[in-house]
Amino acid sequence: MLEPKFNFFTSINKRKSKTAIRFYNILLLTLLCFTFENCVSYLWHLGTGQLDILLKRKSIQSVLQDPNTKEELKIKLQEVETFREYGIRELALNPSAGFKSFVPLDRKEIGWHVTACYPLKLESYTWWFPIAGTVPYKGYFDLDKAKEEEKKLKEKGLDTRIRITAGYSTLGWFEDPIFSSQIEDTKPYEVASLVFHEMAHATVYFPGDSIFNESYASFVEEEGTFHFLESIEGKDSPIKKEILLKKEESQKLKKLLVFTASKLRALYDSDLNDERKLEDKKRILEEFKNSLLVSKKEFKTIRIEKLASKNWNNEDFVGYLRYHSGSSFFYKEFDKADRNFSKFQERMKSLIDLSNEERKKLLLSNHE
């Protein structure tokens, strides 16, 4: 499961005058300062982090031509080029999504993102960003800063979680690179999945509609990976079979999550007082963890014992379902498009005229 991306939006149309460019930057900075808590420090953090990426970025071609580049890295970067070209040619993904450059990091992670949920509602705490709109996460390049943000959210009584940022997308505003952390100790098909997912965000993205955006990108990631594997290994691709086994187990886990989420939602909507709701919430979460252990034998690819030992809260349920909602809708739309990605992408783009709520209804009406 891929996690939320950092989103930075300072793209400038080169044809604009210098005055227009300065005005655009000042306006954007003003908007940001009115929007973010502790704006100056957060904006500085994002700006320096993005600048660091830009300064370290090298074209993949230059890295491949460098005689000092290790052969293992060359192979991985050549694979990235193959995945990008396939995404454009066969999946009708936006070429401006990038993956033509490489960024070597001096750390294992691109960054971290903080998410939160209300304690007695299955509803995400959100932030508003220009261009991206309302999103249920806030990204950091520094783990300590992410922990500081989480502490503030906990002080507000929210259920929180810090997760590693696996992907990075500027939604086509910048040429997104591939990072060293994304290809080290990673199987080729996992890199392909990541590339397709991030390119999908640069192809179809509706500001403020995180559930649709992530579910759509997850569908393109999965179906695109299957198509790619079949193109090189045939219909009986052994890697595809491995992924399908994981998917089958993920569906079993999802059923447990959805069932528990429905119990929590019913509790939160009840007339019980908050103290009683918190007590029953704790009981429901313990029952969920026990149900995981009971079904342990049904799982071979998912580490159930590790999941059962986790301190679950509302954010875990909302966060998981954000990436795994409405897949039936996307499969039906793909079939209507004759399983042609070019037609499918056009169908998805046409949904821009709908409101976020209308798109949400589409996903729910096709609920698995």
Side-chain angles (χ1 to χ4, degrees):
M1 178 176 73
L2 292 172
E3 299 294 346
K5 280 62 62 182
F6 285 124
N7 295 302
F8 302 104
F9 308 98
T10 53
S11 177
I12 298 171
N13 186 331
K14 294 181 180 179
R15 290 173 292 181
K16 292 182 179 179
S17 68
K18 291 182 179 179
T19 302
I21 290 172
R22 291 195 192 99
F23 176 77
Y24 181 89
N25 284 338
I26 292 171
L27 178 61
L28 180 55
L29 290 174
T30 302
L31 282 170
L32 288 167
C33 286
F34 277 113
T35 301
F36 298 137
E37 296 178 17
N38 302 318
C39 164
V40 175
S41 61
Y42 183 65
L43 187 58
W44 177 259
H45 172 69
L46 294 187
T48 54
Q50 177 67 17
L51 180 61
D52 183 56
I53 289 173
L54 292 173
L55 292 175
K56 289 181 177 178
R57 188 168 63 179
K58 303 175 182 178
S59 73
I60 288 179
Q61 282 303 309
S62 67
V63 178
L64 292 175
Q65 293 169 9
D66 186 342
N68 295 317
T69 301
K70 293 182 179 179
E71 190 62 28
E72 182 182 2
L73 177 57
K74 285 185 177 182
I75 292 172
K76 288 181 177 292
L77 292 179
Q78 287 169 340
E79 289 173 342
V80 170
E81 288 190 315
T82 298
F83 302 146
R84 177 183 182 276
E85 291 168 3
Y86 186 88
I88 295 169
R89 185 181 69 252
E90 301 295 335
L91 309 182
L93 296 175
N94 188 351
S96 68
F99 294 103
K100 294 188 291 184
S101 58
F102 171 69
V103 174
L105 294 177
D106 54 6
R107 57 184 185 273
K108 292 184 178 181
E109 316 298 349
I110 299 173
W112 298 263
H113 58 274
V114 183
T115 54
C117 198
Y118 294 96
L120 292 176
K121 285 193 292 185
L122 289 180
E123 179 182 326
S124 294
Y125 181 87
T126 60
W127 292 265
W128 185 87
F129 296 83
I131 309 300
T134 302
V135 293
Y137 42 78
K138 192 173 182 180
Y140 290 88
F141 288 113
D142 185 287
L143 180 57
D144 288 336
K145 290 186 180 297
K147 289 180 178 179
E148 288 175 11
E149 178 70 21
E150 184 188 35
K151 182 180 178 182
K152 293 175 185 176
L153 295 169
K154 282 185 174 180
E155 289 172 352
K156 294 180 180 180
L158 298 169
D159 287 0
T160 65
R161 190 67 66 199
I162 294 178
R163 294 188 178 90
I164 294 169
T165 300
Y168 173 98
S169 175
T170 58
L171 310 181
W173 284 68
F174 280 113
E175 188 272 301
D176 296 332
I178 191 79
F179 293 84
S180 56
S181 61
Q182 293 174 320
I183 57 178
E184 291 173 354
D185 302 319
T186 308
K187 296 178 181 178
Y189 80 83
E190 293 173 329
V191 179
S193 295
L194 182 142
V195 169
F196 298 154
H197 186 103
E198 302 310 326
M199 291 184 74
H201 280 311
T203 304
V204 176
Y205 185 89
F206 302 123
D209 198 347
S210 294
I211 292 178
F212 186 94
N213 293 333
E214 295 302 342
S215 297
Y216 154 77
S218 294
F219 170 81
V220 173
E221 166 197 333
E222 180 181 280
E223 196 64 22
T225 301
F226 286 162
H227 278 240
F228 177 77
L229 290 172
E230 288 178 2
S231 72
I232 58 175
E233 295 185 339
K235 293 288 184 180
D236 295 323
S237 163
I239 298 178
K240 180 180 176 180
K241 289 180 179 179
E242 178 186 337
I243 298 173
L244 286 172
L245 175 60
K246 291 181 180 179
K247 181 180 179 181
E248 182 182 339
E249 293 190 1
S250 292
Q251 287 297 321
K252 292 179 182 178
L253 176 60
K254 181 180 176 180
K255 287 181 180 179
L256 292 173
L257 284 161
V258 170
F259 177 69
T260 303
S262 66
K263 290 171 68 175
L264 289 170
R265 190 173 286 108
L267 169 65
Y268 301 152
D269 290 340
S270 72
D271 295 328
L272 296 174
N273 61 47
D274 287 356
E275 183 178 355
R276 177 63 185 278
K277 286 181 180 180
L278 288 172
E279 290 176 1
D280 285 0
K281 172 186 177 181
K282 185 177 180 180
R283 174 183 55 78
I284 290 172
L285 292 177
E286 284 301 315
E287 289 175 352
F288 167 70
K289 291 165 72 172
N290 289 333
S291 69
L292 289 176
L293 292 174
V294 169
S295 60
K296 183 175 66 173
K297 292 182 179 179
E298 298 178 32
F299 297 89
K300 295 180 180 179
T301 66
I302 297 176
R303 298 171 64 184
I304 291 298
E305 289 183 344
K306 183 177 180 180
L307 287 178
S309 65
K310 180 178 175 179
N311 184 24
W312 286 77
N313 62 39
N314 285 350
E315 204 291 321
D316 295 310
F317 290 89
V318 174
Y320 179 87
L321 296 175
R322 183 181 302 126
Y323 284 80
H324 298 81
S325 298
S327 58
S328 291
F329 166 74
F330 294 110
Y331 277 110
K332 288 179 181 178
E333 288 297 303
F334 193 47
D335 286 338
K336 289 178 183 177
D338 302 321
R339 301 186 67 79
N340 178 290
F341 271 100
S342 183
K343 293 180 182 178
F344 171 75
Q345 302 295 8
E346 290 305 313
R347 292 181 71 90
M348 294 300 99
K349 291 174 184 177
S350 70
L351 299 178
I352 192 171
D353 294 327
L354 301 181
S355 67
N356 292 354
E357 191 60 34
E358 288 172 325
R359 284 190 291 268
K360 183 178 180 180
K361 287 180 180 178
L362 284 177
L363 299 185
L364 292 176
S365 66
N366 289 272
H367 190 64
E368 298 93 323

